[in-house]
Amino acid sequence: QISYINEAALLTWGYQKSEVIGKNHNLIKSGTHSAGFFEEMYSKISQGNVWQGEIHNKAKDGSDFWIRLTITPVYDQNAALYKYIGVSFNITQQKLQAQRIKQSLKQSQQQEESYVTQIHHLQEAQEQLHQQLGHSTFKSEILDRYFLTAVLD
C-alpha cells in the first residue's frame, strides 16, 4: 500500500493524495508488463535487494507515462523489513524521443531501399538502351550523364 506520495508524482499520476494513500500501485498499472515482470521485482526486493527498472504506467486520465524506478527495502532497528521506498523519475519524454528516432531511422531505411531499387531499375534501363542503340550516333557518355542526373534529381 502507498503510505506517502509527493506532489510531482501526484501531478504525473493525475490523482489527488486522498485517492492514492492506502491504495495499491495497481492503481496506475498499464497492463504492458507481464505478471512475471512484477513477480521478479517483488522477489528481488522481498529478498532484501534493490530493484531498478523502467515501468510503463497509466495516469488517471488514461494517458501513458514511463518511469525509471528504484525500489529499496527499509529495515527497522531489529533488522526486520519495515517498508519499501520507491524513487522514480518520469522518463516519458526520453521514451517518446527514442520512439521518434526509431521511426525516423525506419523511414530512412525504407527510403534507402527505395532509392536502391530505383537505381537498379535505371541501370537496367540504361543497359537496355545501350544494347538497343548499339552503334547509333548517340554516345554512351550522354546516356550515362542523363541517368546520373535522373538519380540525383
Side-chain angles (χ1 to χ4, degrees):
Q1 290 186 342
I2 301 168
S3 60
Y4 173 80
I5 185 166
N6 68 15
E7 291 299 317
L10 289 170
L11 284 173
T12 301
W13 293 20
Y15 286 93
Q16 298 295 316
K17 190 177 270 191
S18 60
E19 297 175 289
V20 173
I21 300 299
K23 301 290 191 306
N24 188 293
H25 284 91
N26 288 339
L27 190 66
I28 57 170
K29 190 174 180 181
S30 68
T32 300
H33 306 286
S34 68
F37 175 87
F38 291 105
E39 287 169 9
E40 181 184 328
M41 174 199 306
Y42 293 125
S43 173
K44 190 165 186 176
I45 62 175
S46 66
Q47 293 173 13
N49 297 307
V50 173
W51 182 89
Q52 291 184 344
E54 295 178 355
I55 300 182
H56 174 219
N57 291 313
K58 287 238 182 248
K60 182 178 180 180
D61 67 3
S63 62
D64 295 311
F65 68 95
W66 283 87
I67 59 170
R68 174 87 177 137
L69 174 63
T70 300
I71 302 174
T72 305
V74 178
Y75 298 92
D76 64 16
Q77 62 260 25
N78 299 321
L81 182 61
Y82 173 63
K83 61 182 170 182
Y84 300 102
I85 295 180
V87 177
S88 64
F89 297 92
N90 188 332
I91 59 168
T92 304
Q93 291 306 313
Q94 291 89 333
K95 286 287 195 178
L96 292 173
Q97 182 65 22
Q99 187 178 30
R100 284 191 291 269
I101 290 169
K102 285 179 187 176
Q103 183 62 30
S104 178
L105 179 60
K106 183 178 178 181
Q107 288 174 345
S108 294
Q109 289 169 336
Q110 289 170 342
Q111 286 177 341
E112 181 181 4
E113 290 171 10
S114 175
Y115 291 147
V116 168
T117 300
Q118 289 175 12
I119 289 170
H120 179 72
H121 290 309
L122 286 171
Q123 288 171 337
E124 287 176 351
Q126 183 181 17
E127 287 270 329
Q128 289 174 358
L129 274 175
H130 278 280
Q131 290 172 1
Q132 290 173 1
L133 290 175
H135 296 291
S136 172
T137 57
F138 290 103
K139 301 214 182 235
S140 100
E141 295 87 18
I142 294 171
L143 289 174
D144 289 341
R145 199 171 319 145
Y146 169 74
F147 280 102
L148 179 61
T149 303
V151 171
L152 293 176
D153 290 342

